[in-house]
Amino acid sequence: MILLIPVAVPFSPDLDSLVLTALEYTYRERYGAALSVINEAIKRYPQEPVGYFFKAAIYDYYMEDYHTNRYENEFFRNMKIAEEKARARLSEGIKGKEKAWMLFFIAGAYGYKAMRAGRSGNYVVALKYALEGVKPLKATIEEDSTLYDAYFPLGIYNYALSKAPNRIGIIPTFFLVKNREEREKKGIEYLKLAWKKGHYTSVISALTLAWVLMREGRAREAIPILRSYVERYPESRYFRWVYGGLLLREGRFDDAEDVYEGLLYLILRDQPNVPYNVVYIAYYLGYTKYFLGKFDEAIKYFEVALKYYEEAPSADRKKLKRIIRNLKRFYKRAKQRMDLE
């Protein structure tokens, strides 16, 4: 049973409930159920952008979970419809919260497209989308500063800019990035606000915030935040993935061992045909075992990672080169330690 907290959204309570239910299924990685519910939302409320927007968001979450671009066409198609529906509503001269939410969907569409471009290495395109989304994002906050979901993309935007290189290829970007320390601080503050007060984005904001804090050497601060979501979504691979990284950063190898053992089980059970995930987590489980002095077990998991690496597509093998390089180093050390015993 999902606890729905009443909030002032300019949609039918029925539509709001369907969207929240679809998101809960997404975080539990029950994608078929999530899409079924969001399709029902679209069927009942075809003129509202919210259903299309979150259908695209579900596809994005799935593609990140499975490390695939399989549903990219569906993602872009639904984001385009969401943006068109929102612009159509704006053309009606709406005001207040309703206008703010339509601006949010437009800004959010640009933000999601920027993230997908960035993940594929198209940084110029990512920057273009990000800059196009800034104006409607700021307009959202100006229209309704209590639309806390908008602080999620605003947080990502500020944090990403604080880490942007001075140029992308031959294109200089330093003139776009000023006050890096202030942007970093604001980015984290905005993510915290979206986590604490966001209606649709609270959970994903917590996950993003935890990753950002880990990157900033503040894993200890992030661990209690993410622990609650690992407990709330025990079947989720995504949350365990980040949580394990946080624990390792703090040297909590015993706790990380439990997390990675559970995560590898979930991956082998549900994603046996996603070698990238198996390699990555088998390596980190072996790495954890190594530092716990369990060298024989470490060797076993390193060998699992190597097996799946050999079977991985060339694109995955390219992304995993650094991991495999580290794996071979620790594999050799573990063998040597075993020989000494």
Side-chain angles (χ1 to χ4, degrees):
M1 188 64 149
I2 299 167
L3 178 62
L4 302 179
I5 303 172
V7 69
V9 293
F11 320 122
S12 158
D14 176 53
L15 174 56
D16 183 46
S17 175
L18 287 169
V19 171
L20 289 171
T21 300
L23 290 176
E24 280 289 304
Y25 279 131
T26 302
Y27 299 136
R28 296 181 187 283
E29 292 160 7
R30 296 177 60 186
Y31 300 111
L35 288 170
S36 178
V37 173
I38 208 68
N39 283 335
E40 182 63 23
I42 291 171
K43 179 181 177 182
R44 294 186 198 179
Y45 305 93
Q47 296 310 310
E48 293 284 3
V50 59
Y52 303 98
F53 180 86
F54 284 109
K55 184 173 183 179
I58 291 167
Y59 279 126
D60 180 75
Y61 196 98
Y62 174 93
M63 287 188 286
E64 278 302 286
D65 183 19
Y66 278 80
H67 286 274
T68 179
N69 293 324
R70 179 180 178 185
Y71 293 110
E72 203 156 62
N73 289 338
E74 283 296 302
F75 165 83
F76 282 109
R77 186 178 73 83
N78 279 280
M79 273 303 176
K80 181 180 180 182
I81 296 172
E83 187 179 347
E84 289 172 348
K85 299 286 185 182
R87 291 189 186 280
R89 294 289 295 280
L90 287 175
S91 69
E92 298 170 3
I94 56 177
K95 300 292 182 183
K97 286 190 177 296
E98 190 173 5
K99 180 179 179 181
W101 276 99
M102 296 307 113
L103 288 165
F104 166 74
F105 290 128
I106 293 169
Y110 281 120
Y112 263 106
K113 289 187 287 187
M115 285 194 293
R116 289 221 63 79
R119 288 168 186 153
S120 63
N122 295 324
Y123 300 116
V124 174
V125 174
L127 183 61
K128 172 181 174 290
Y129 281 137
L131 292 176
E132 287 176 337
V134 171
K135 186 176 179 180
L137 188 56
K138 289 182 176 178
T140 301
I141 302 298
E142 289 170 3
E143 192 70 28
D144 182 2
S145 62
T146 67
L147 200 166
Y148 296 108
D149 289 290
Y151 292 95
F152 170 58
L154 192 62
I156 291 176
Y157 173 75
N158 275 276
Y159 183 76
L161 271 188
S162 77
K163 305 300 177 184
N166 287 325
R167 62 174 57 247
I168 298 174
I170 62 171
I171 301 174
T173 60
F174 61 86
F175 61 91
L176 296 172
V177 187
K178 299 175 182 178
N179 305 317
R180 287 178 181 265
E181 289 185 9
E182 183 181 344
R183 282 191 179 277
E184 178 190 305
K185 183 179 178 181
K186 280 187 175 180
I188 292 173
E189 288 176 353
Y190 290 149
L191 287 172
K192 284 183 177 179
L193 189 58
W195 161 49
K196 292 177 180 178
K197 295 189 175 183
H199 184 55
Y200 296 126
T201 63
S202 176
V203 176
I204 196 66
S205 294
L207 186 62
T208 306
L209 173 63
W211 181 85
V212 166
L213 290 174
M214 178 170 64
R215 196 177 188 276
E216 291 303 310
R218 296 163 61 178
R220 184 173 300 178
E221 184 180 342
I223 285 172
I225 295 173
L226 209 57
R227 182 192 300 121
S228 63
Y229 291 98
V230 172
E231 292 170 353
R232 178 174 168 180
Y233 304 112
E235 66 271 67
S236 168
R237 295 175 294 273
Y238 217 140
F239 290 96
R240 285 174 182 258
W241 193 296
V242 180
Y243 190 52
L246 292 171
L247 293 169
L248 282 186
R249 292 293 179 96
E250 284 297 299
R252 294 172 55 174
F253 293 103
D254 285 318
D255 293 331
E257 180 184 29
D258 290 339
V259 170
Y260 283 128
E261 283 181 344
L263 180 52
L264 185 60
Y265 166 77
L266 291 173
I267 288 172
L268 289 173
R269 185 190 71 181
D270 301 329
Q271 297 181 320
N273 298 320
V274 186
Y276 179 96
N277 289 357
V278 179
V279 172
Y280 204 99
I281 298 306
Y283 162 69
Y284 273 105
L285 180 53
Y287 175 89
T288 302
K289 298 278 189 182
Y290 175 89
F291 280 98
L292 288 171
K294 301 177 180 180
F295 304 115
D296 56 337
E297 293 183 47
I299 289 168
K300 179 180 71 175
Y301 288 111
F302 289 149
E303 289 175 346
V304 168
L306 286 168
K307 176 181 179 293
Y308 276 85
Y309 176 74
E310 292 300 324
E311 298 171 359
S314 58
D316 284 353
R317 287 162 63 90
K318 185 177 180 180
K319 294 176 186 175
L320 289 163
K321 275 187 177 180
R322 183 183 63 83
I323 291 291
I324 293 301
R325 190 162 55 246
N326 291 338
L327 182 154
K328 288 180 177 178
R329 185 168 69 251
F330 280 105
Y331 181 74
K332 182 178 179 180
R333 290 179 184 175
K335 284 275 194 181
Q336 291 171 340
R337 296 294 295 269
M338 284 292 292
D339 290 341
L340 293 173
E341 292 182 357

